[in-house]
Amino acid sequence: MKNFEYVRPDSVAQAVQALDRRGAMPLAGGMDMVPGMQDNVIIADRVVNLKSIRDDGVRGIRETDYGLVIGALTTLTEIAEHPVVQSHYAALAEATVEVGSPQIRNAGTLGGNLCQRPRCWYFRNEHYNCLKKGGPRCFAADDDAENQYNAILGGGPAYIVHPSNCASALVALDATFHVAGPDGPRAVHADDFFVLPTERLLQENVLRQGEIVTHVEIAAPADGAKSAFLETAERAGFDWGISGAAVSGVVRDGVINGPRIVLYAVAPIPWRARDAEALIDGKPLTEDAIRAAGEAALAGAEPLSNNGYKVPLTKTMVRRALARLA
Ligand SMILES: Cc1cc2nc3c(=O)[nH]c(=O)nc-3n(C[C@H](O)[C@H](O)[C@H](O)COP(=O)(O)OP(=O)(O)OC[C@H]3O[C@@H](n4cnc5c(N)ncnc54)[C@H](O)[C@@H]3O)c2cc1C
Ligand code: SF4
């Protein structure tokens, strides 16, 4: 591991100040960052440990007039076990409880989960200097590549999938991410927070140098609002999912309004299946409608050489998640 300077800020303001220079990175639970640094694929010359921040707003879960506020340093265990999250924001509770193992959820935080780096094998191997690390090409796009876990939607020139399942749930729940930075605080809709490689190659979100996520806000659910998250993993109870879906909508008398269908682990960002959403909006959630939504959600898929299996698998994830709402 490369040597680095270590900073323990007392406040968000101090953290932002310490991070406002090239090569400085925030550290939260360290579940992604520390192994990445040990493997020389995440390089920081200044590590700013957010856990020393004493400001109240960055920790814990609070109910407000608007809905729910979750501090970025809240652990995944706290979120998964929170009764209000479980009863009113099921997609988030179901996504959070799927993260890694209990040990990882006890140490890992919401902010770190949303901002974790990609899992692509070539990215995680220091000997492959691929596009995502400023190198000349994407190794995953080769015909003989180990690309079974890479993107089938929205790929190019890089084909990562966004690793955070909480991110898909929060997009489905139309959350807002609050960010602090050198230019002051700003709010970013979850829909706009994650960016495709065509927009930014070296990072997966809109954060600028010096900015951190401080908290996430989700509106109180409307009467009849429901949500669900489902994933498939090769080793259940430990691994990242290889496909999944987060869905939400207001369901009354069997009719769904304002559906959101977000695909997980198939695109470089949590992937809104907008055609599928439009297909079922305002309609009864029948078996036929659910099947049609699954087909529409994957209509634009372009698998790589070894990940065609994700197309039927993800259709099934969408169908099963929507069936839960029905
Ligand atoms: C075996 C294993 C299995 C896992 N399985 C899953 C899984 O199934 N699903 C899943 O989603 N994740 C999974 N993870 C990934 C990840 O470790 C956890 O999701 C965890 O939440 C990361 O949080 P952390 O606080 O430890 O982040 P850290 O490792 O501290 O940070 C991760 C990244 O986020 C940045 N960061 C941290 N906090 C902030 C902030 N507030 N603002 C801006 N940037 C920030 C850091 O600079 C770093 O780049 C797994 C990890 C392991 C080791
Ligand atoms: S998909 Fe992204 S991380 Fe993987 S090899 Fe291609 S550029 Fe690198």
Side-chain angles (χ1 to χ4, degrees), residues 19 24-36 42 48-51 53 58 71-76 95-101 104-105 107-117 119 124 162-167 178-180 193 204-205 207 211-215 229 231 233 235 237-241 264:
L19 286 164
M25 283 185 76
L27 171 78
M31 294 295 100
D32 180 49
M33 180 128 164
V34 172
I42 295 176
V48 179
N49 188 351
L50 304 183
K51 291 197 302 298
I53 293 176
V58 294
L73 288 172
T74 309
T75 67
L76 299 170
T96 309
V97 83
E98 294 286 356
V99 174
S101 60
I104 287 163
R105 294 194 291 276
T109 66
L110 181 60
N113 181 276
L114 299 174
C115 300
Q116 61 180 295
R117 301 304 317 274
R119 301 306 308 175
R124 292 283 162 173
H162 201 282
S164 164
N165 44 14
C166 297
H178 291 266
V179 167
F193 184 78
E204 295 74 47
N205 56 52
L207 290 181
E211 284 190 326
I212 54 169
V213 178
T214 53
H215 57 285
F229 174 88
E231 71 169 37
R235 291 177 295 176
F238 182 74
D239 236 349
W240 285 262
Y264 164 60

Side-chain angles (χ1 to χ4, degrees), residues 38-123:
Q38 286 168 333
D39 292 342
N40 287 320
V41 293
I42 295 176
I43 313 278
D45 53 32
R46 174 183 284 182
V47 172
V48 179
N49 188 351
L50 304 183
K51 291 197 302 298
S52 60
I53 293 176
R54 294 197 211 145
D55 303 350
D56 285 341
V58 294
R59 275 194 191 78
I61 303 175
R62 295 185 305 285
E63 284 183 89
T64 64
D65 292 344
Y66 176 77
L68 202 69
V69 175
I70 309 176
L73 288 172
T74 309
T75 67
L76 299 170
T77 298
E78 284 173 83
I79 298 169
E81 292 180 354
H82 198 278
V84 176
V85 178
Q86 289 177 347
S87 58
H88 294 319
Y89 307 92
L92 182 60
E94 290 164 3
T96 309
V97 83
E98 294 286 356
V99 174
S101 60
Q103 291 87 344
I104 287 163
R105 294 194 291 276
N106 286 343
T109 66
L110 181 60
N113 181 276
L114 299 174
C115 300
Q116 61 180 295
R117 301 304 317 274
R119 301 306 308 175
C120 173
W121 285 342
Y122 299 100
F123 179 78

Side-chain angles (χ1 to χ4, degrees), residues 307-324:
N307 63 6
Y309 73 93
K310 283 194 174 192
V311 177
L313 181 58
T314 310
K315 286 180 187 174
T316 305
M317 293 292 103
V318 172
R319 284 201 306 265
R320 287 187 184 170
L322 286 175
R324 294 257 291 273

Side-chain angles (χ1 to χ4, degrees), residues 178-192:
H178 291 266
V179 167
D183 300 326
R186 63 182 177 124
V188 186
H189 282 296
D191 263 331
D192 303 324

Side-chain angles (χ1 to χ4, degrees), residues 66-319:
Y66 176 77
L68 202 69
V69 175
I70 309 176
L73 288 172
T74 309
T75 67
L76 299 170
T77 298
E78 284 173 83
I79 298 169
E81 292 180 354
H82 198 278
V84 176
V85 178
Q86 289 177 347
S87 58
H88 294 319
Y89 307 92
L92 182 60
E94 290 164 3
T96 309
V97 83
E98 294 286 356
V99 174
S101 60
Q103 291 87 344
I104 287 163
R105 294 194 291 276
N106 286 343
T109 66
L110 181 60
N113 181 276
L114 299 174
C115 300
Q116 61 180 295
R117 301 304 317 274
R119 301 306 308 175
C120 173
W121 285 342
Y122 299 100
F123 179 78
R124 292 283 162 173
N125 186 324
E126 66 174 307
H127 301 296
Y128 287 90
N129 186 27
C130 69
L131 282 177
K132 268 256 157 231
K133 291 184 274 194
R137 71 189 195 88
C138 172
F139 296 94
D142 293 354
D143 275 350
D144 59 352
E146 298 281 355
N147 55 28
Q148 48 270 55
Y149 303 125
N150 289 76
I152 56 171
L153 286 158
Y159 293 85
I160 60 147
V161 296
H162 201 282
S164 164
N165 44 14
C166 297
S168 295
L170 288 170
V171 173
L173 292 168
D174 198 13
T176 301
F177 297 171
H178 291 266
V179 167
D183 300 326
R186 63 182 177 124
V188 186
H189 282 296
D191 263 331
D192 303 324
F193 184 78
F194 304 98
V195 291
L196 286 168
T198 42
E199 214 171 310
R200 273 187 143 181
L201 205 44
L202 300 183
Q203 68 183 71
E204 295 74 47
N205 56 52
V206 297
L207 290 181
R208 306 175 194 134
Q209 184 68 52
E211 284 190 326
I212 54 169
V213 178
T214 53
H215 57 285
V216 170
E217 209 168 9
I218 321 174
D223 189 27
K226 292 182 175 183
S227 66
F229 174 88
L230 267 182
E231 71 169 37
T232 295
E234 284 187 323
R235 291 177 295 176
F238 182 74
D239 236 349
W240 285 262
I242 52 175
S243 163
V247 296
S248 70
V250 174
V251 186
R252 286 193 207 115
D253 301 325
V255 172
I256 186 159
N257 280 290
R260 283 180 161 245
I261 302 174
V262 185
L263 310 184
Y264 164 60
V266 293
I269 56 173
W271 188 262
R272 283 279 300 277
R274 291 177 194 269
D275 288 350
E277 293 171 1
L279 201 64
I280 57 171
D281 196 7
K283 310 244 172 68
L285 259 187
T286 59
E287 216 175 305
D288 283 349
I290 286 174
R291 188 173 303 111
E295 294 298 318
L298 275 298
E302 291 181 350
L304 298 167
S305 52
N306 285 308
N307 63 6
Y309 73 93
K310 283 194 174 192
V311 177
L313 181 58
T314 310
K315 286 180 187 174
T316 305
M317 293 292 103
V318 172
R319 284 201 306 265

